[in-house]
Amino acid sequence: MFRGVSQLSVDAKGRIAVPARYRDALSESCQGQLVLTVDRDGCLLLYPAPEWERIEQSLMSRPNMNPQVRKLQRLLVGHATECDLDGQGRLLLPPPLREFAGLSKRVVLVGQGNKFEIWDEDTWSRNRELWFGEDADDALSEALESIAL
């Protein structure tokens, strides 16, 4: 289970150092083998390989005559890139994916349970403020009403 927000630096070669608190879990669950892909919100999604394989299988089993299914397959599977943690716990972010997410020197790694999101730090900060303000006065959707915080 991945949770929390970590501020990281992208080195000159386009690598980030995955925080030590996640490395053991990633070594145990997937031997450091990960899959990186794009998200429609403008960030990158980072999955342990076994988790990605489950999601990819589910996505690819959908009927691709539906234009929205095809679009999602193209985006997520088409951009999916296998990557491994190196001996120092670093992960190379390929240039096309860094460009897609607008990643520069400072990024944020956001734990989302079964995966991570990787955001440009400034984009994350702007969006976080928007998200906090969006629903402040709105009623929760039915899907969220039963959650006790």
Side-chain angles (χ1 to χ4, degrees), residues 16 52 57 67 80 121 140:
I16 58 170
W52 170 255
Q57 183 179 19
E121 187 176 58
L140 290 176

Side-chain angles (χ1 to χ4, degrees), residues 22-47:
Y22 301 125
R23 290 181 198 165
D24 287 341
L26 291 171
S27 291
E28 289 175 21
S29 69
C30 63
Q31 294 74 46
Q33 296 176 332
L34 304 161
V35 175
L36 190 62
T37 191
V38 300
D39 184 67
R40 296 185 325 167
D41 287 337
C43 66
L44 300 179
L45 301 176
L46 179 64
Y47 289 91

Side-chain angles (χ1 to χ4, degrees), residues 20-148:
R21 70 178 184 265
Y22 301 125
R23 290 181 198 165
D24 287 341
L26 291 171
S27 291
E28 289 175 21
S29 69
C30 63
Q31 294 74 46
Q33 296 176 332
L34 304 161
V35 175
L36 190 62
T37 191
V38 300
D39 184 67
R40 296 185 325 167
D41 287 337
C43 66
L44 300 179
L45 301 176
L46 179 64
Y47 289 91
E51 181 69 18
W52 170 255
E53 289 166 6
R54 185 185 64 73
I55 291 166
E56 182 179 49
Q57 183 179 19
S58 176
L59 181 59
M60 296 311 289
S61 70
R62 303 285 187 249
N64 69 0
M65 292 304 290
N66 180 318
Q68 291 197 330
V69 169
R70 244 186 351 262
K71 185 185 332 179
L72 199 56
Q73 289 170 338
R74 286 177 183 142
L75 291 173
L76 294 180
V77 178
H79 286 93
T81 304
E82 295 174 359
C83 47
D84 296 320
L85 287 179
D86 69 12
Q88 288 77 43
R90 296 175 301 196
L91 180 71
L92 176 64
L93 304 174
L97 295 181
R98 285 196 318 260
E99 183 179 320
F100 168 85
L103 304 180
S104 54
K105 197 74 174 137
R106 300 288 304 165
V107 300
V108 176
L109 183 72
V110 183
Q112 292 292 291
N114 65 335
K115 66 181 178 294
F116 295 99
E117 294 178 345
I118 302 173
W119 290 86
D120 170 73
E121 187 176 58
D122 291 337
T123 303
W124 167 256
S125 295
R126 280 192 309 274
N127 283 333
R128 184 186 56 200
E129 294 307 314
L130 287 171
W131 296 325
F132 273 126
E134 278 179 350
D135 297 323
D137 296 323
D138 296 338
L140 290 176
S141 72
E142 270 187 48
L144 299 175
E145 286 177 350
S146 65
I147 298 174

